[in-house]
Amino acid sequence: MLTKYKVVKFLCIFTTMKVQKRNLYLTLFLGIQVLLMKWIEHNPSFVEVYYSMGIYPYISSLLRILFGWISVSIGDLFIFFAVFYSIYFIYKLVLTRFKNFFSKLLGITSFISVIYFFFYFLWGLNYYREPLSKNLGYQTTSYSNKELIDVSEYLISKLNNAHFVITKSDSIMIKIPYSHQEIYSLAKNGYNELAKEMPQFTHKYGVAKNSLMSLFQSYNGTSGYFNPFTGEAQVNSKIPTTSLPTTTCHEMAHQIGFAAENEANFVGFLAALSNEDLYFKYGAYRMATRYMLFELYKRDPEQYWVLYKTIHTGIIKDFTASSKFWNGYKNPFEPIVKKGYNAYLKSNKQQKGVDSYNYVVDLLISYFRKSVDN
């Protein structure tokens, strides 16, 4: 005769076996996903047509409708929960002296399988889409030092002009008079204007948010990040305000499906430049000029200093204040974090790792080259 104890015991064993079976299937599914990604890596046109320009815009819009209206970063809260739960899990594992370790290991791999699936389904497949240069019809051939110098000179002239229009002086450092929320709202205007000529840059629903991890981001050297599971664009609220317009537009570019960092930089530049607000235009020229000069310094340090001396004193003060801010958060752990992020980028078809940000120069020169041709 079955007792209540035996029934409960049977149910526990049955449930455990069912969970282990499910975890085994999910672990096997992880292997299948990895193999599938190898195929996807070599089929960017498939990703572009059926994912990036197909179902992703609907996924992206849905996530922003669900989470965009909430002022608090839901993605950050998920990360906090995941970190605390991981610590608790390790603590329990050690406390039980790794009892049923194989079963728990299957649980971990099955969880990784689920995260892996949702990461790529909700956003990550955009890493494997067609290059933005092909989408825009740019000829991204190698550029000469003369082209680099010419575009740098042009950008400096536009940056100096934007700075003077705002300050009516060449020596006053710009201070953006907007709150963070006002900047996030204004950033939408630039995308709305840009989408009139380039519909692929349409951005609907939601705005960027202050990250709850801004202090941590400052210490690891990042201005913002995009959460692929919630579709939120997170901005480090501690960075200098003159960096906010382009940082916001960069993270918004990730939202609409441009995963590669150099492409997000370029789309962010276009969106900020398309904005009627002068502070956004200043931010666009500021960002582009810094990347161009950084590349010029690597190629021709002497010419770099020639051009650097033509920049308004007030802009140099802005650059110096930005460098001082980041230097204030330098720490021994930052390089370790960057190595991890570097590995993450390389595993997602960005062979240059964290240096991928700097390859926006190729797109900038192609953009101005095409503008001259037209």
Side-chain angles (χ1 to χ4, degrees):
M1 183 175 179
L2 286 174
T3 64
K4 184 177 180 181
Y5 170 77
K6 288 180 178 179
V7 171
V8 172
K9 185 178 180 181
F10 171 77
L11 289 174
C12 288
I13 294 172
F14 177 77
T15 303
T16 301
M17 289 177 64
K18 193 173 181 180
V19 169
Q20 287 182 343
K21 194 174 182 180
R22 181 202 65 194
N23 289 344
L24 179 61
Y25 287 152
L26 285 173
T27 299
L28 292 174
F29 181 54
L30 176 60
I32 294 171
Q33 290 183 81
V34 172
L35 291 175
L36 182 61
M37 289 305 300
K38 293 295 181 183
W39 179 84
I40 286 174
E41 184 177 353
H42 299 290
N43 290 275
S45 59
F46 177 86
V47 176
E48 184 72 26
V49 173
Y50 295 103
Y51 181 77
S52 298
M53 301 298 291
I55 65 171
Y56 176 72
Y58 297 101
I59 294 171
S60 176
S61 295
L62 177 61
L63 287 176
R64 292 202 296 279
I65 290 171
L66 289 174
F67 302 110
W69 62 275
I70 305 172
S71 59
V72 177
S73 170
I74 301 301
D76 283 350
L77 294 177
F78 283 168
I79 290 174
F80 289 147
F81 174 78
V83 170
F84 287 131
Y85 182 78
S86 297
I87 294 171
Y88 172 76
F89 179 84
I90 294 170
Y91 167 75
K92 291 290 287 184
L93 199 62
V94 173
L95 195 66
T96 58
R97 299 182 179 180
F98 298 91
K99 185 179 179 181
N100 299 322
F101 179 72
F102 179 74
S103 176
K104 290 175 180 176
L105 182 62
L106 269 183
I108 293 171
T109 53
S110 65
F111 177 74
I112 292 172
S113 179
V114 172
I115 294 297
Y116 189 92
F117 172 80
F118 279 108
F119 171 77
Y120 284 107
F121 176 73
L122 294 176
W123 180 73
L125 282 178
N126 287 307
Y127 277 118
Y128 300 92
R129 68 186 301 181
E130 296 277 11
L132 178 59
S133 56
K134 182 177 180 180
N135 184 300
L136 297 175
Y138 289 174
Q139 296 295 321
T140 52
T141 55
S142 59
Y143 52 87
S144 64
N145 278 17
K146 185 179 184 307
E147 281 186 294
L148 182 60
I149 292 168
D150 288 345
V151 174
S152 297
E153 285 180 335
Y154 172 77
L155 285 170
I156 288 172
S157 68
K158 299 296 285 186
L159 177 62
N160 281 340
N161 182 66
H163 172 261
F164 187 80
V165 170
I166 293 172
T167 65
K168 302 298 186 289
S169 168
D170 62 1
S171 58
I172 297 175
M173 186 175 80
I174 283 180
K175 293 183 179 179
I176 296 182
Y178 307 137
S179 68
H180 286 73
Q181 296 306 321
E182 286 172 329
I183 289 174
Y184 301 155
S185 296
L186 284 169
K188 293 275 290 185
N189 297 339
Y191 272 96
N192 291 339
E193 289 299 315
L194 181 60
K196 290 178 182 178
E197 294 185 14
M198 301 177 177
Q200 63 268 49
F201 300 134
T202 299
H203 186 290
K204 294 180 179 179
Y205 315 114
V207 294
K209 301 180 182 182
N210 284 341
S211 173
L212 299 175
M213 301 188 295
S214 291
L215 182 61
F216 174 74
Q217 285 190 283
S218 297
Y219 278 111
N220 69 27
T222 55
S223 298
Y225 86 98
F226 171 75
N227 191 303
F229 301 104
T230 60
E232 294 169 298
Q234 324 274 2
V235 177
N236 178 348
S237 61
K238 294 185 176 297
I239 62 174
T241 55
T242 47
S243 299
L244 279 173
T246 48
T247 297
T248 303
C249 290
H250 172 103
E251 301 306 332
M252 291 172 72
H254 284 319
Q255 286 184 307
I256 58 174
F258 296 95
E261 298 301 342
N262 62 323
E263 294 182 357
N265 266 345
F266 182 66
V267 176
F269 163 78
L270 291 179
L273 189 62
S274 300
N275 204 308
E276 293 182 359
D277 186 87
L278 288 176
Y279 293 100
F280 273 78
K281 289 186 182 296
Y282 171 80
Y285 289 126
R286 176 186 184 273
M287 183 197 77
T289 298
R290 296 194 77 175
Y291 277 113
M292 297 297 290
L293 289 180
F294 180 77
E295 184 63 26
L296 182 59
Y297 183 79
K298 291 191 294 184
R299 290 192 177 200
D300 189 343
E302 184 177 340
Q303 189 60 42
Y304 163 85
W305 286 113
V306 171
L307 293 186
Y308 188 83
K309 291 176 183 177
T310 66
I311 300 174
H312 284 179
T313 305
I315 299 170
I316 299 299
K317 289 178 182 177
D318 183 13
F319 289 170
T320 303
S322 183
S323 297
K324 186 177 180 181
F325 168 82
W326 290 112
N327 288 334
Y329 286 96
K330 288 286 184 183
N331 64 89
F333 300 102
E334 182 183 343
I336 299 172
V337 174
K338 284 193 173 179
K339 280 185 179 179
Y341 185 51
N342 190 61
Y344 159 78
L345 291 176
K346 287 184 176 181
S347 69
N348 283 290
K349 212 179 176 183
Q350 295 190 71
Q351 291 83 0
K352 301 297 180 181
V354 293
D355 290 334
S356 299
Y357 289 83
N358 301 327
Y359 279 79
V360 68
V361 172
D362 299 61
L363 288 167
L364 286 168
I365 288 181
S366 298
Y367 169 74
F368 287 110
R369 184 189 287 156
K370 188 173 183 178
S371 299
V372 171
D373 292 340
N374 292 337

